Each structure stands twice: as C-alpha cells, then as structure tokens.
C-alpha cells in the first residue's frame, strides 16, 4: 500500500494531521486534499477530539497546489476539481484548527494555514502567495482571508508581488499567533491545542462560530449572532459545571453536554 499522504496521530483529545508528501514539499495534490478532508471530517464528528493540529515537516508546511498536476488541467477540469469543495468543507469544520507551520507555507499552503483558527509558526517559517509568478491568483481563499487578517494594503502587496515573508513580519502583521524556536514549533502548537481541548467543548465550538461570524457579517448582525450563540452556551450543563467549579474553588469537569 502506498504511504499515507496525511498521517493521523493523537495526543489525548488533540488530533494531529501531518502532511506527508516530502518529495513534493507537501504540495496539495487532489489525493492529499482528499485524505486530509476525510480525516478532519472524521475527527470533527468524534466527541473525543476537541482540537485539531495541522502540521507539515520541519522544512515545509506545504508548497501550495500541485503545479505539475495543474499545468495541463483544462478550464473545464478546473471547474470540477475536488479542491473547490475542499476549502468549503474545511471551513465547515466546527472543531478548532491550529496550523503548526515550519518552513514554507506558500500558495495553497499559506491558504491552508489561514483557514485554520490559529497559527503557531517556527522561527523558520515563510509565508507567501506566489501564484502571481505562475500567472494565476490564489484560489483557496487567500485573497479574502489574507486581506481580512493583515489588511487590504498588505494583502495586495503580497498577492501582486508574490513576496514571501518571514515570521518577524508575519507576527507584526497579526498573521501568526506565536513564533516558536525551530525545534519547538510542534510542541508549542500542541500546547496551545491542549489548552483549547481542556475547555468545555460546546462552548469552544460556539466561540469559534461566533468569532468567525465577525468575518462574515456587519457588526449589528454579528452581535445578534453572538447573542444567540451565547444563549446556547447558557443552556449547556458545562456552563453550570464551570460556574459551580469557580464558586466551589475546584477544577471543572466538562462533559460536552
Ligand atoms: N507543486 C508540485 N511540485 C512541487 C511544488 C508544487 N507546489 N513545490 C515543490 N515541488 C516539487 C519540485 O518540483 C521538486 O520536484 P522534482 O524533485 O521532481 O524536481 C521537489 O518538489 C522539490 O522542490 P524544490 O527543488 O523546488 O525544493 P526547494 O527546497 O529548493 O524549494 C520551494 C522549495 C521554495 C517550496 C519551491 O519548491 C517552490 O517555490 N515551490 C512552488 C511554490 C509555489 O509556487 N506555490 C504556489 C502553487 S499554486 C497554488 O497554490 C494555487 C492555489 O492558490 C491553490
């Protein structure tokens, strides 16, 4: 059997999906995308998985879409390519996603990191949208998510020049949550994921949904949505447990109910 293109690992309640196509710098082939989304969707429905880390290797997170497969793709084939549904299905994942980025996160690789809810980067990480150098533009959400995260002027520069940025710039732009030493990037990402995994899972999912609404809606509609999600959180048993634990000065036991 061929090696898996995405390796599934578990660390307690955290699922770790490791892109595993080193000979192509983890280029996002249709097969790799299919394995990744199948794994993420399976974990998303598994109550024992409370946070998901998506990681590459030390030298590359992912070098983007598979250029070799793309070159001869016709317009009609591009319209029906599985990558189109991949991005929407990933975005529908309710479990928090943490990208653990070391080395290159380029093109679709940068877009995959941007789709995640948080990014922990190694000091060696490099982000960029080099599609313009190939005669195309980002097609996995890059123009939209990058502009929302780092602002229109800066996104415009990166998309129109293809310039790569390192972690100092990425941190200053608010693209990454934290920068880790080169031998600690995965451990730090797991640490962050474990903190999220210890939080009450229903409230975590509602919180993710509410923050993402800020990108989708105007303020008043977003505030309405937040109010409804907040009310749902108030209906959970976990919130009674969390508040009781605070008052009784003990650690809470969250059951996901
Ligand atoms: N697709 C297909 N193959 C790729 C690839 C990609 N995106 N990136 C690297 N590879 C392959 C190379 O062709 C090479 O294969 P061979 O051994 O058969 O020649 C192998 O991986 C190693 O690559 P390099 O020798 O280039 O490795 P490097 O370490 O010197 O450089 C790199 C690494 C900087 C990531 C460089 O490979 C690179 O620039 N890759 C392309 C990055 C890019 O342009 N990404 C955007 C793709 S388009 C896109 O993503 C569209 C979208 O929005 C969804």
């Amino acid at each position: 059997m061929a090696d898996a293109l995405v390796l599934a690992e578990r660390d307690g309640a955290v699922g770790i999906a490791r892109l595993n196509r080193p000979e192509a710098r983890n280029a996002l082939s249709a097969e790799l995308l299919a394995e990744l989304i199948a794994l993420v969707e399976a974990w998303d429905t598994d109550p024992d998985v409370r946070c998901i880390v998506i990681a590459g290797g030390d030298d590359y997170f992912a070098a983007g879409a598979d250029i070799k497969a793309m070159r001869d793709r016709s317009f009609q084939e591009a319209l029906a390519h599985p990558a189109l549904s991949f991005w929407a299905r990933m975005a529908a994942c309710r479990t928090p996603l943490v990208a653990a980025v070391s080395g290159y996160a380029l093109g679709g690789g940068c877009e995959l990191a941007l789709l995640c809810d948080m990014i922990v980067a190694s000091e060696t990480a490099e982000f960029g949208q080099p599609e313009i150098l190939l005669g195309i533009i980002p097609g996995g959400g890059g123009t939209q998510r990058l502009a929302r995260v780092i602002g229109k002027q800066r996104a415009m520069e990166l998309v129109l020049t293809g310039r790569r940025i390192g972690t100092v710039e990425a941190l200053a732009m608010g693209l990454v949550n934290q920068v880790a030493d080169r031998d600690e990037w995965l451990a730090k990402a797991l640490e962050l994921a474990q903190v999220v995994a210890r939080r009450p899972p229903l409230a975590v999912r509602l919180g993710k949904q509410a923050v993402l609404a800020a990108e989708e809606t105007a303020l008043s509609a977003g505030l309405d949505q937040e109010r409804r999600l907040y009310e749902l959180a108030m209906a959970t048993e976990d919130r009674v447990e969390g508040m009781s634990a605070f008052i009784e000065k003990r650690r809470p036991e969250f059951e996901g109910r």
Side-chain angles (χ1 to χ4, degrees):
M1 200 180 104
D3 286 345
L5 298 168
V6 179
L7 304 175
E9 298 166 19
R10 284 287 296 274
D11 178 22
V14 175
I16 310 156
R18 293 206 68 168
L19 311 185
N20 180 41
R21 208 182 159 217
E23 73 287 356
R25 305 295 184 261
N26 288 341
L28 304 171
S29 62
E31 297 76 17
L32 186 149
L33 294 179
E35 285 188 27
L36 181 57
I37 192 62
L39 183 59
V40 166
E41 286 181 343
W43 277 339
D44 196 32
T45 55
D46 180 346
D48 293 335
V49 176
R50 296 183 173 191
C51 192
I52 296 171
V53 172
I54 299 184
D58 280 330
D59 298 326
Y60 30 85
F61 176 70
D66 191 316
I67 302 168
K68 289 173 183 166
M70 279 173 92
R71 190 186 58 178
D72 299 324
R73 191 174 300 156
S74 69
F75 175 65
Q76 285 80 358
E77 285 164 350
L79 284 181
H81 195 266
L84 293 178
S85 61
F86 168 81
W87 298 105
R89 287 167 68 188
M90 282 293 290
C93 174
R94 292 158 305 164
T95 310
L97 302 170
V98 176
V101 178
S102 187
Y104 300 110
L106 302 177
C110 187
E111 293 171 297
L112 179 58
L114 279 167
L115 185 144
C116 292
D117 302 303
M118 288 164 276
I119 303 178
V120 175
S122 156
E123 58 188 348
T124 66
E126 274 191 42
F127 297 86
Q129 299 291 163
E131 288 90 341
I132 199 79
L133 304 169
L134 300 167
I136 55 172
I137 65 170
T143 61
Q144 303 306 297
R145 292 200 175 91
L146 200 58
R148 280 167 171 75
V149 172
I150 68 175
K152 173 238 168 188
Q153 311 295 114
R154 293 190 282 208
M156 192 69 83
E157 184 199 329
L158 297 188
V159 169
L160 298 191
T161 66
R163 181 170 76 83
R164 305 203 293 240
I165 58 169
T167 45
V168 172
E169 224 180 324
L171 191 61
M173 288 179 177
L175 181 62
V176 303
N177 293 73
Q178 46 173 289
V179 177
D181 289 345
R182 63 184 56 220
D183 51 355
E184 288 200 321
W185 57 276
L186 189 53
K188 289 289 179 195
L190 277 174
E191 221 173 82
L192 176 61
Q194 287 294 1
V195 172
V196 174
R198 284 197 294 277
R199 301 296 181 243
L202 294 178
V204 162
R205 287 178 168 216
L206 294 171
K208 170 170 171 164
Q209 210 180 322
V211 174
L212 286 177
E215 296 190 334
E216 300 280 351
T217 50
L219 181 60
S220 54
L223 290 173
D224 277 351
Q225 197 162 336
E226 182 195 77
R227 164 59 47 180
R228 276 187 281 280
L229 293 166
Y230 165 79
E231 284 159 359
L232 279 180
M234 283 299 288
T236 64
E237 291 176 22
D238 278 348
R239 75 97 188 166
V240 177
E241 167 64 8
M243 293 177 185
S244 302
F246 173 79
I247 294 164
E248 292 158 19
K249 301 186 190 307
R250 60 175 175 79
R251 285 177 80 90
E253 298 285 338
F254 295 122
E255 304 285 349
R257 288 202 288 264

